[in-house]
Amino acid sequence: MDEINLYELIGEEGFERLIAAFYRQVPNDDILGDMYPRDDLADAEERLRDFLVGRFGGPQRYIERRGHPRLRARHIPFCIDRTARDRWMALMDKAFSEAALPAEAEGFLREFLSQMATFMINHE
Ligand code: HEM
């Protein structure tokens, strides 16, 4: 499956379902809850969703609003060790179960996010 097909397959709505299900869990999480801006969670949700939509063939809203993603650099202010990375993926796994995307879309996206999450680790 190529990246354009992913956006065609699940559309804005698929990304929205997945990322909303992820962010619903964030405030109550004992590791991630304090890392994310509590009073700006709706905007944070929009940033991640728009990044993925643009990355996989949809409208380029993220780049228009935020510029080049530079994701590893943008994550440096947060202490991301293996435990935080694994928790982030655990929340995403639950979000995948809730969002019930088509299996091939889920497999592709899960692999991408898992690799990117490992790349974001910036502390032992
Ligand atoms: C490994 C665990 C990760 C942790 C603990 C983490 C944590 C955070 C936090 C605390 C923010 C700030 C929230 C905001 O104000 O937007 C953020 C932003 C963001 N994260 Fe992550 N993140 C992780 C992995 C990822 C991955 C795998 C991706 C994408 C593939 C990603 C994409 C983004 C994007 C697009 C933003 C918004 C950046 C901006 O424009 O300022 N993150 N992340």
Short mmCIF file of all heavy atoms in Angstrom, two decimals, residues 28-85:
data_model
loop_
_atom_site.label_atom_id
_atom_site.label_comp_id
_atom_site.label_asym_id
_atom_site.label_seq_id
_atom_site.Cartn_x
_atom_site.Cartn_y
_atom_site.Cartn_z
N ASN A 28 -5.45 11.20 31.75
CA ASN A 28 -5.45 10.28 32.89
C ASN A 28 -4.23 9.39 32.95
O ASN A 28 -4.15 8.51 33.81
CB ASN A 28 -6.70 9.38 32.83
CG ASN A 28 -7.96 10.20 32.94
OD1 ASN A 28 -7.99 11.19 33.66
ND2 ASN A 28 -8.99 9.82 32.19
N ASP A 29 -3.29 9.59 32.06
CA ASP A 29 -2.14 8.70 32.03
C ASP A 29 -1.06 9.18 33.01
O ASP A 29 -0.71 10.36 33.01
CB ASP A 29 -1.56 8.63 30.62
CG ASP A 29 -0.49 7.56 30.52
OD1 ASP A 29 -0.85 6.39 30.29
OD2 ASP A 29 0.71 7.88 30.72
N ASP A 30 -0.53 8.26 33.82
CA ASP A 30 0.41 8.70 34.87
C ASP A 30 1.78 9.09 34.33
O ASP A 30 2.53 9.79 35.01
CB ASP A 30 0.53 7.63 35.98
CG ASP A 30 1.05 6.30 35.46
OD1 ASP A 30 1.09 6.11 34.22
OD2 ASP A 30 1.41 5.45 36.28
N ILE A 31 2.13 8.68 33.13
CA ILE A 31 3.41 9.13 32.55
C ILE A 31 3.20 10.30 31.58
O ILE A 31 3.88 11.32 31.67
CB ILE A 31 4.11 7.98 31.79
CG1 ILE A 31 4.46 6.83 32.76
CG2 ILE A 31 5.38 8.48 31.10
CD1 ILE A 31 5.08 5.62 32.08
N LEU A 32 2.24 10.16 30.68
CA LEU A 32 2.09 11.16 29.62
C LEU A 32 1.23 12.36 30.03
O LEU A 32 1.36 13.45 29.47
CB LEU A 32 1.49 10.51 28.37
CG LEU A 32 2.29 9.33 27.81
CD1 LEU A 32 1.61 8.76 26.57
CD2 LEU A 32 3.72 9.72 27.49
N GLY A 33 0.36 12.14 31.03
CA GLY A 33 -0.59 13.18 31.42
C GLY A 33 0.05 14.53 31.72
O GLY A 33 -0.44 15.57 31.28
N ASP A 34 1.17 14.50 32.43
CA ASP A 34 1.81 15.76 32.81
C ASP A 34 2.72 16.33 31.72
O ASP A 34 3.16 17.47 31.80
CB ASP A 34 2.66 15.57 34.08
CG ASP A 34 1.77 15.35 35.29
OD1 ASP A 34 0.59 15.76 35.23
OD2 ASP A 34 2.25 14.76 36.28
N MET A 35 2.99 15.52 30.71
CA MET A 35 3.87 15.98 29.63
C MET A 35 3.12 16.88 28.65
O MET A 35 3.66 17.84 28.12
CB MET A 35 4.37 14.75 28.87
CG MET A 35 5.86 14.61 28.80
SD MET A 35 6.29 13.25 27.70
CE MET A 35 6.90 12.07 28.86
N TYR A 36 1.88 16.53 28.40
CA TYR A 36 1.08 17.27 27.41
C TYR A 36 0.42 18.49 28.07
O TYR A 36 0.10 18.45 29.25
CB TYR A 36 -0.01 16.35 26.84
CG TYR A 36 0.52 15.38 25.80
CD1 TYR A 36 1.11 14.17 26.19
CD2 TYR A 36 0.45 15.66 24.45
CE1 TYR A 36 1.60 13.28 25.25
CE2 TYR A 36 0.93 14.77 23.49
CZ TYR A 36 1.51 13.59 23.90
OH TYR A 36 1.99 12.70 22.97
N PRO A 37 0.22 19.56 27.28
CA PRO A 37 -0.37 20.78 27.83
C PRO A 37 -1.87 20.58 28.11
O PRO A 37 -2.66 20.46 27.18
CB PRO A 37 -0.16 21.81 26.71
CG PRO A 37 -0.09 20.98 25.45
CD PRO A 37 0.49 19.65 25.84
N ARG A 38 -2.24 20.52 29.39
CA ARG A 38 -3.61 20.21 29.77
C ARG A 38 -4.64 21.18 29.19
O ARG A 38 -5.74 20.80 28.83
CB ARG A 38 -3.75 20.23 31.29
CG ARG A 38 -3.94 18.85 31.88
CD ARG A 38 -3.73 18.84 33.38
NE ARG A 38 -2.88 17.70 33.73
CZ ARG A 38 -3.32 16.45 33.83
NH1 ARG A 38 -4.60 16.18 33.65
NH2 ARG A 38 -2.50 15.47 34.12
N ASP A 39 -4.25 22.47 29.13
CA ASP A 39 -5.22 23.47 28.67
C ASP A 39 -5.16 23.66 27.15
O ASP A 39 -5.80 24.56 26.61
CB ASP A 39 -4.96 24.82 29.37
CG ASP A 39 -3.49 25.21 29.26
OD1 ASP A 39 -2.71 24.44 28.67
OD2 ASP A 39 -3.13 26.30 29.75
N ASP A 40 -4.39 22.82 26.47
CA ASP A 40 -4.23 22.99 25.03
C ASP A 40 -4.33 21.63 24.32
O ASP A 40 -3.79 21.43 23.25
CB ASP A 40 -2.83 23.61 24.78
CG ASP A 40 -2.64 24.11 23.34
OD1 ASP A 40 -3.65 24.41 22.68
OD2 ASP A 40 -1.48 24.17 22.89
N LEU A 41 -5.06 20.70 24.98
CA LEU A 41 -5.09 19.33 24.43
C LEU A 41 -5.80 19.24 23.09
O LEU A 41 -5.42 18.47 22.22
CB LEU A 41 -5.75 18.38 25.43
CG LEU A 41 -4.84 17.58 26.35
CD1 LEU A 41 -5.64 16.47 27.01
CD2 LEU A 41 -3.63 17.01 25.63
N ALA A 42 -6.85 20.07 22.93
CA ALA A 42 -7.59 20.03 21.67
C ALA A 42 -6.68 20.46 20.52
O ALA A 42 -6.71 19.88 19.43
CB ALA A 42 -8.82 20.93 21.74
N ASP A 43 -5.84 21.46 20.79
CA ASP A 43 -4.91 21.92 19.74
C ASP A 43 -3.81 20.89 19.50
O ASP A 43 -3.38 20.68 18.36
CB ASP A 43 -4.29 23.27 20.11
CG ASP A 43 -5.31 24.40 20.01
OD1 ASP A 43 -6.32 24.22 19.31
OD2 ASP A 43 -5.09 25.45 20.64
N ALA A 44 -3.35 20.26 20.57
CA ALA A 44 -2.33 19.22 20.42
C ALA A 44 -2.91 18.07 19.57
O ALA A 44 -2.23 17.54 18.69
CB ALA A 44 -1.88 18.71 21.79
N GLU A 45 -4.15 17.73 19.85
CA GLU A 45 -4.81 16.67 19.07
C GLU A 45 -4.84 17.05 17.59
O GLU A 45 -4.54 16.23 16.71
CB GLU A 45 -6.23 16.47 19.62
CG GLU A 45 -7.01 15.40 18.88
CD GLU A 45 -8.38 15.16 19.50
OE1 GLU A 45 -8.55 15.34 20.72
OE2 GLU A 45 -9.30 14.79 18.75
N GLU A 46 -5.17 18.30 17.34
CA GLU A 46 -5.23 18.77 15.95
C GLU A 46 -3.85 18.71 15.28
O GLU A 46 -3.73 18.33 14.12
CB GLU A 46 -5.76 20.21 15.95
CG GLU A 46 -5.99 20.77 14.57
CD GLU A 46 -6.56 22.19 14.64
OE1 GLU A 46 -5.95 23.06 15.28
OE2 GLU A 46 -7.64 22.41 14.07
N ARG A 47 -2.80 19.05 16.05
CA ARG A 47 -1.45 19.04 15.45
C ARG A 47 -1.05 17.63 15.01
O ARG A 47 -0.55 17.45 13.90
CB ARG A 47 -0.42 19.60 16.45
CG ARG A 47 -0.52 21.11 16.62
CD ARG A 47 0.63 21.66 17.45
NE ARG A 47 0.44 21.57 18.88
CZ ARG A 47 -0.21 22.46 19.63
NH1 ARG A 47 -0.78 23.51 19.06
NH2 ARG A 47 -0.33 22.30 20.94
N LEU A 48 -1.26 16.64 15.87
CA LEU A 48 -0.87 15.28 15.51
C LEU A 48 -1.74 14.77 14.34
O LEU A 48 -1.24 14.17 13.39
CB LEU A 48 -1.00 14.34 16.73
CG LEU A 48 -0.65 12.87 16.48
CD1 LEU A 48 0.76 12.70 15.91
CD2 LEU A 48 -0.78 12.05 17.77
N ARG A 49 -3.04 15.05 14.42
CA ARG A 49 -3.94 14.59 13.35
C ARG A 49 -3.54 15.23 12.02
O ARG A 49 -3.40 14.53 11.01
CB ARG A 49 -5.38 14.94 13.71
CG ARG A 49 -6.39 14.37 12.71
CD ARG A 49 -7.79 14.78 13.08
NE ARG A 49 -7.98 16.21 13.05
CZ ARG A 49 -8.42 16.96 14.07
NH1 ARG A 49 -8.73 16.41 15.21
NH2 ARG A 49 -8.55 18.26 13.93
N ASP A 50 -3.34 16.54 12.03
CA ASP A 50 -3.00 17.23 10.77
C ASP A 50 -1.66 16.76 10.22
O ASP A 50 -1.49 16.67 9.01
CB ASP A 50 -2.98 18.75 10.97
CG ASP A 50 -4.38 19.33 11.01
OD1 ASP A 50 -5.35 18.58 10.81
OD2 ASP A 50 -4.50 20.55 11.24
N PHE A 51 -0.71 16.48 11.13
CA PHE A 51 0.58 15.98 10.66
C PHE A 51 0.38 14.67 9.90
O PHE A 51 0.89 14.49 8.79
CB PHE A 51 1.54 15.77 11.83
CG PHE A 51 2.74 14.96 11.43
CD1 PHE A 51 3.76 15.55 10.69
CD2 PHE A 51 2.84 13.61 11.75
CE1 PHE A 51 4.86 14.80 10.27
CE2 PHE A 51 3.92 12.86 11.33
CZ PHE A 51 4.94 13.44 10.59
N LEU A 52 -0.39 13.75 10.48
CA LEU A 52 -0.58 12.43 9.85
C LEU A 52 -1.37 12.54 8.55
O LEU A 52 -1.04 11.89 7.55
CB LEU A 52 -1.27 11.47 10.83
CG LEU A 52 -0.41 11.09 12.04
CD1 LEU A 52 -1.22 10.27 13.03
CD2 LEU A 52 0.84 10.30 11.62
N VAL A 53 -2.40 13.38 8.57
CA VAL A 53 -3.21 13.58 7.35
C VAL A 53 -2.29 14.05 6.21
O VAL A 53 -2.32 13.51 5.09
CB VAL A 53 -4.34 14.61 7.61
CG1 VAL A 53 -4.90 15.15 6.30
CG2 VAL A 53 -5.46 13.97 8.43
N GLY A 54 -1.44 15.03 6.50
CA GLY A 54 -0.55 15.57 5.47
C GLY A 54 0.50 14.56 5.05
O GLY A 54 0.83 14.42 3.87
N ARG A 55 1.01 13.82 6.02
CA ARG A 55 2.07 12.85 5.76
C ARG A 55 1.59 11.73 4.85
O ARG A 55 2.35 11.14 4.10
CB ARG A 55 2.56 12.29 7.10
CG ARG A 55 3.63 11.22 7.06
CD ARG A 55 4.93 11.78 6.54
NE ARG A 55 5.97 10.74 6.49
CZ ARG A 55 5.99 9.73 5.63
NH1 ARG A 55 5.02 9.60 4.74
NH2 ARG A 55 6.97 8.85 5.65
N PHE A 56 0.30 11.43 4.93
CA PHE A 56 -0.22 10.28 4.19
C PHE A 56 -1.14 10.67 3.04
O PHE A 56 -2.05 9.93 2.69
CB PHE A 56 -0.88 9.28 5.15
CG PHE A 56 0.17 8.60 5.99
CD1 PHE A 56 0.35 8.93 7.32
CD2 PHE A 56 1.02 7.66 5.41
CE1 PHE A 56 1.35 8.33 8.07
CE2 PHE A 56 2.03 7.06 6.16
CZ PHE A 56 2.19 7.40 7.49
N GLY A 57 -0.90 11.85 2.48
CA GLY A 57 -1.54 12.17 1.20
C GLY A 57 -2.69 13.14 1.26
O GLY A 57 -3.28 13.46 0.23
N GLY A 58 -3.07 13.62 2.46
CA GLY A 58 -4.19 14.57 2.57
C GLY A 58 -3.70 16.01 2.53
O GLY A 58 -2.54 16.27 2.22
N PRO A 59 -4.60 16.96 2.85
CA PRO A 59 -4.24 18.38 2.83
C PRO A 59 -3.06 18.69 3.75
O PRO A 59 -2.92 18.08 4.81
CB PRO A 59 -5.51 19.07 3.36
CG PRO A 59 -6.61 18.09 3.17
CD PRO A 59 -6.00 16.72 3.22
N GLN A 60 -2.24 19.66 3.35
CA GLN A 60 -0.98 19.98 4.04
C GLN A 60 -1.17 21.02 5.15
O GLN A 60 -0.38 21.94 5.29
CB GLN A 60 0.05 20.48 3.03
CG GLN A 60 0.43 19.44 1.99
CD GLN A 60 1.09 18.21 2.61
OE1 GLN A 60 1.99 18.33 3.43
NE2 GLN A 60 0.63 17.03 2.22
N ARG A 61 -2.23 20.90 5.93
CA ARG A 61 -2.51 21.91 6.96
C ARG A 61 -1.38 22.01 7.99
O ARG A 61 -1.06 23.08 8.47
CB ARG A 61 -3.81 21.58 7.71
CG ARG A 61 -5.07 21.80 6.92
CD ARG A 61 -6.29 21.62 7.82
NE ARG A 61 -6.31 20.29 8.41
CZ ARG A 61 -6.96 19.26 7.89
NH1 ARG A 61 -7.66 19.39 6.78
NH2 ARG A 61 -6.94 18.08 8.48
N TYR A 62 -0.79 20.86 8.35
CA TYR A 62 0.24 20.91 9.39
C TYR A 62 1.40 21.80 8.94
O TYR A 62 1.82 22.70 9.67
CB TYR A 62 0.76 19.50 9.75
CG TYR A 62 1.83 19.59 10.81
CD1 TYR A 62 1.47 19.66 12.16
CD2 TYR A 62 3.17 19.70 10.49
CE1 TYR A 62 2.44 19.82 13.14
CE2 TYR A 62 4.15 19.86 11.46
CZ TYR A 62 3.77 19.92 12.79
OH TYR A 62 4.73 20.10 13.75
N ILE A 63 1.91 21.56 7.74
CA ILE A 63 3.07 22.32 7.26
C ILE A 63 2.70 23.79 7.07
O ILE A 63 3.50 24.68 7.38
CB ILE A 63 3.63 21.67 5.98
CG1 ILE A 63 4.35 20.37 6.37
CG2 ILE A 63 4.58 22.61 5.23
CD1 ILE A 63 5.00 19.61 5.24
N GLU A 64 1.48 24.04 6.60
CA GLU A 64 1.05 25.44 6.43
C GLU A 64 1.06 26.17 7.78
O GLU A 64 1.42 27.34 7.87
CB GLU A 64 -0.37 25.50 5.84
CG GLU A 64 -0.41 25.23 4.34
CD GLU A 64 -1.79 24.80 3.86
OE1 GLU A 64 -2.78 25.01 4.61
OE2 GLU A 64 -1.87 24.23 2.74
N ARG A 65 0.62 25.48 8.84
CA ARG A 65 0.52 26.15 10.15
C ARG A 65 1.81 26.11 10.94
O ARG A 65 2.14 27.05 11.66
CB ARG A 65 -0.57 25.48 10.98
CG ARG A 65 -1.94 25.80 10.43
CD ARG A 65 -3.04 25.08 11.20
NE ARG A 65 -4.30 25.33 10.51
CZ ARG A 65 -5.40 24.62 10.70
NH1 ARG A 65 -5.42 23.65 11.57
NH2 ARG A 65 -6.50 24.91 10.04
N ARG A 66 2.55 25.00 10.86
CA ARG A 66 3.68 24.78 11.77
C ARG A 66 5.03 24.77 11.07
O ARG A 66 6.06 24.71 11.73
CB ARG A 66 3.51 23.45 12.53
CG ARG A 66 2.18 23.27 13.22
CD ARG A 66 2.04 24.12 14.44
NE ARG A 66 2.90 23.71 15.52
CZ ARG A 66 3.12 24.46 16.60
NH1 ARG A 66 2.55 25.65 16.70
NH2 ARG A 66 3.91 24.03 17.55
N GLY A 67 5.01 24.75 9.73
CA GLY A 67 6.29 24.68 9.01
C GLY A 67 6.82 23.25 8.95
O GLY A 67 6.09 22.29 9.22
N HIS A 68 8.11 23.12 8.63
CA HIS A 68 8.71 21.79 8.52
C HIS A 68 8.55 21.05 9.85
O HIS A 68 8.80 21.63 10.91
CB HIS A 68 10.19 21.94 8.17
CG HIS A 68 10.83 20.65 7.82
ND1 HIS A 68 11.23 19.74 8.78
CD2 HIS A 68 11.12 20.08 6.63
CE1 HIS A 68 11.73 18.67 8.17
NE2 HIS A 68 11.68 18.86 6.87
N PRO A 69 8.13 19.78 9.82
CA PRO A 69 7.81 19.08 11.08
C PRO A 69 8.99 19.00 12.08
O PRO A 69 8.78 19.22 13.26
CB PRO A 69 7.40 17.68 10.62
CG PRO A 69 6.95 17.84 9.21
CD PRO A 69 7.74 18.99 8.65
N ARG A 70 10.21 18.68 11.61
CA ARG A 70 11.36 18.57 12.54
C ARG A 70 10.94 17.87 13.84
O ARG A 70 11.16 18.36 14.94
CB ARG A 70 11.91 19.96 12.90
CG ARG A 70 12.41 20.78 11.73
CD ARG A 70 13.00 22.12 12.19
NE ARG A 70 12.03 22.94 12.91
CZ ARG A 70 12.04 23.19 14.22
NH1 ARG A 70 13.00 22.72 14.98
NH2 ARG A 70 11.11 23.94 14.77
N LEU A 71 10.32 16.72 13.70
CA LEU A 71 9.66 16.12 14.87
C LEU A 71 10.61 15.75 16.00
O LEU A 71 10.28 15.94 17.17
CB LEU A 71 8.84 14.90 14.46
CG LEU A 71 7.49 15.24 13.81
CD1 LEU A 71 6.66 13.98 13.67
CD2 LEU A 71 6.73 16.30 14.61
N ARG A 72 11.79 15.26 15.64
CA ARG A 72 12.68 14.87 16.74
C ARG A 72 13.09 16.11 17.53
O ARG A 72 13.08 16.11 18.76
CB ARG A 72 13.90 14.11 16.22
CG ARG A 72 14.60 13.37 17.34
CD ARG A 72 15.54 12.29 16.89
NE ARG A 72 15.94 11.48 18.03
CZ ARG A 72 16.76 11.87 18.99
NH1 ARG A 72 17.30 13.08 18.96
NH2 ARG A 72 17.05 11.07 20.00
N ALA A 73 13.40 17.19 16.82
CA ALA A 73 13.78 18.43 17.49
C ALA A 73 12.63 18.97 18.34
O ALA A 73 12.83 19.43 19.47
CB ALA A 73 14.21 19.46 16.46
N ARG A 74 11.42 18.89 17.83
CA ARG A 74 10.27 19.41 18.58
C ARG A 74 10.00 18.59 19.85
O ARG A 74 9.29 19.06 20.74
CB ARG A 74 9.01 19.40 17.71
CG ARG A 74 8.97 20.51 16.67
CD ARG A 74 7.56 20.65 16.14
NE ARG A 74 7.50 21.10 14.77
CZ ARG A 74 7.29 22.36 14.41
NH1 ARG A 74 7.13 23.29 15.30
NH2 ARG A 74 7.22 22.67 13.12
N HIS A 75 10.50 17.36 19.88
CA HIS A 75 10.28 16.53 21.07
C HIS A 75 11.39 16.64 22.11
O HIS A 75 11.27 16.07 23.20
CB HIS A 75 10.07 15.06 20.67
CG HIS A 75 8.71 14.81 20.07
ND1 HIS A 75 8.38 15.18 18.80
CD2 HIS A 75 7.58 14.27 20.59
CE1 HIS A 75 7.12 14.86 18.55
NE2 HIS A 75 6.60 14.30 19.62
N ILE A 76 12.46 17.35 21.78
CA ILE A 76 13.59 17.45 22.72
C ILE A 76 13.18 18.01 24.10
O ILE A 76 13.66 17.55 25.13
CB ILE A 76 14.77 18.27 22.10
CG1 ILE A 76 15.37 17.51 20.91
CG2 ILE A 76 15.84 18.58 23.14
CD1 ILE A 76 16.10 16.22 21.26
N PRO A 77 12.24 18.99 24.14
CA PRO A 77 11.86 19.51 25.47
C PRO A 77 11.22 18.45 26.38
O PRO A 77 11.12 18.66 27.58
CB PRO A 77 10.83 20.60 25.15
CG PRO A 77 11.07 20.96 23.72
CD PRO A 77 11.60 19.74 23.05
N PHE A 78 10.77 17.33 25.81
CA PHE A 78 10.11 16.32 26.63
C PHE A 78 11.08 15.17 26.87
O PHE A 78 11.82 14.77 25.98
CB PHE A 78 8.85 15.80 25.92
CG PHE A 78 8.00 16.91 25.38
CD1 PHE A 78 7.84 17.09 24.01
CD2 PHE A 78 7.40 17.82 26.25
CE1 PHE A 78 7.08 18.14 23.52
CE2 PHE A 78 6.64 18.87 25.76
CZ PHE A 78 6.49 19.04 24.39
N CYS A 79 11.02 14.64 28.10
CA CYS A 79 11.92 13.55 28.45
C CYS A 79 11.30 12.23 27.98
O CYS A 79 10.41 11.70 28.62
CB CYS A 79 12.14 13.55 29.97
SG CYS A 79 13.15 12.18 30.50
N ILE A 80 11.76 11.74 26.84
CA ILE A 80 11.17 10.52 26.27
C ILE A 80 12.18 9.39 26.38
O ILE A 80 13.17 9.33 25.64
CB ILE A 80 10.75 10.74 24.80
CG1 ILE A 80 9.79 11.94 24.70
CG2 ILE A 80 10.09 9.47 24.25
CD1 ILE A 80 9.31 12.24 23.29
N ASP A 81 11.93 8.51 27.36
CA ASP A 81 12.76 7.31 27.50
C ASP A 81 11.98 6.12 26.93
O ASP A 81 10.87 6.29 26.42
CB ASP A 81 13.18 7.10 28.96
CG ASP A 81 11.99 6.98 29.90
OD1 ASP A 81 10.85 6.83 29.40
OD2 ASP A 81 12.19 7.03 31.12
N ARG A 82 12.55 4.95 27.04
CA ARG A 82 11.91 3.75 26.48
C ARG A 82 10.52 3.53 27.11
O ARG A 82 9.56 3.16 26.43
CB ARG A 82 12.85 2.55 26.72
CG ARG A 82 12.31 1.18 26.47
CD ARG A 82 11.85 0.89 25.06
NE ARG A 82 12.89 1.01 24.05
CZ ARG A 82 12.73 0.67 22.76
NH1 ARG A 82 11.57 0.22 22.33
NH2 ARG A 82 13.71 0.81 21.90
N THR A 83 10.42 3.80 28.42
CA THR A 83 9.13 3.58 29.10
C THR A 83 8.06 4.53 28.57
O THR A 83 6.93 4.12 28.32
CB THR A 83 9.31 3.82 30.63
OG1 THR A 83 10.41 3.03 31.06
CG2 THR A 83 8.08 3.44 31.39
N ALA A 84 8.43 5.81 28.37
CA ALA A 84 7.46 6.78 27.84
C ALA A 84 7.08 6.41 26.41
O ALA A 84 5.92 6.50 26.01
CB ALA A 84 8.05 8.19 27.90
N ARG A 85 8.09 5.99 25.64
CA ARG A 85 7.82 5.57 24.25
C ARG A 85 6.85 4.38 24.22
O ARG A 85 5.91 4.35 23.44
CB ARG A 85 9.15 5.20 23.57
CG ARG A 85 9.01 4.69 22.15
CD ARG A 85 9.18 3.17 22.11
NE ARG A 85 8.94 2.66 20.77
CZ ARG A 85 8.07 1.69 20.51
NH1 ARG A 85 7.37 1.12 21.45
NH2 ARG A 85 7.89 1.28 19.28
#
